[in-house]
């Protein structure tokens, strides 16, 4: 597994803990990264994702809500919500991963860590967001 893939999985685990508990960001990051034994590149990538997603979660949740209005963000499965946050952060806010790569990685993570319906749901939400962004760019 590549260092970025391992970094994303470590980030998902950290974000899951942050989302499900009242633990502090620094403590969660330290523990999760120690458990994962990532390369320096993987650890740096995981840190960037976790801190970026956590800082921008209100903005990310708004984007999720706009493209999946029938699914209240606070009622989504914690894994699904954080897989979406990671992917959207990577391609839409931080611009550190190409759109198609971010979507494919999110679907793969959803297959491993989400429910049976998670990959289709993740693909649908990210596909809608990608279409919306493409449409907005072409209208400029």
């Amino acid at each position: 597994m590549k260092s970025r893939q391992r970094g994303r999985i470590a980030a998902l685990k950290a974000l899951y803990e942050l989302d499900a508990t009242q633990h502090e960001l620094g403590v969660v990051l330290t523990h999760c990264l120690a458990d994962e034994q990532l390369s320096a590149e993987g650890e740096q990538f995981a840190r960037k994702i976790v801190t970026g997603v956590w800082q921008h979660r209100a903005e990310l949740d708004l984007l999720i809500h706009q493209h999946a209005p029938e699914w209240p963000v606070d009622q989504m499965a914690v894994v699904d919500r954080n897989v979406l946050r990671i992917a959207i952060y990577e391609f839409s806010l931080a611009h550190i991963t190409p759109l198609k790569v971010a979507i494919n990685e999110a679907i793969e993570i959803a297959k491993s860590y989400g429910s049976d319906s998670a990959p289709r749901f993740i693909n649908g939400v990210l596909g809608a967001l990608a279409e919306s962004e493409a449409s907005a760019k072409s209208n400029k």
Side-chain angles (χ1 to χ4, degrees):
M1 189 181 306
K2 296 178 184 169
S3 62
R4 280 185 146 213
Q5 289 173 314
R6 292 189 60 201
R8 264 185 209 95
I9 292 166
L12 175 64
K13 291 175 182 178
L15 289 165
Y16 185 99
E17 182 175 341
L18 287 166
D19 222 7
T21 68
Q22 298 298 315
H23 299 163
E24 290 184 28
L25 175 67
V27 173
V28 171
L29 258 178
T30 300
H31 289 286
C32 282
L33 295 176
D35 289 347
E36 294 299 318
Q37 300 176 344
L38 300 169
S39 67
E41 179 189 354
E43 184 173 324
Q44 183 181 17
F45 188 65
R47 279 184 188 281
K48 181 177 182 99
I49 290 173
V50 172
T51 55
V53 166
W54 202 243
Q55 287 172 345
H56 296 282
R57 68 186 180 277
E59 183 179 352
L60 293 165
D61 289 354
L62 180 61
L63 287 168
I64 293 168
H65 172 72
Q66 289 170 346
H67 295 89
E70 66 282 358
W71 293 96
V73 176
D74 61 339
Q75 293 177 19
M76 278 180 194
V78 177
V79 168
D80 296 355
R81 178 173 52 235
N82 283 296
V83 168
L84 286 168
R85 285 172 173 168
I86 290 168
I88 295 167
Y89 175 76
E90 283 189 58
F91 77 79
S92 188
L93 294 184
H95 306 286
I96 55 176
T97 305
L99 171 69
K100 289 183 183 201
V101 173
I103 292 174
N104 288 339
E105 290 290 328
I107 292 167
E108 289 305 312
I109 291 172
K111 286 178 185 176
S112 297
Y113 295 93
S115 66
D116 289 344
S117 61
R120 268 188 57 218
F121 174 67
I122 299 289
N123 188 38
V125 175
L126 294 176
L129 177 59
E131 283 180 28
S132 172
E133 284 197 352
S135 172
K137 285 180 183 172
S138 68
N139 288 335
K140 284 186 177 177

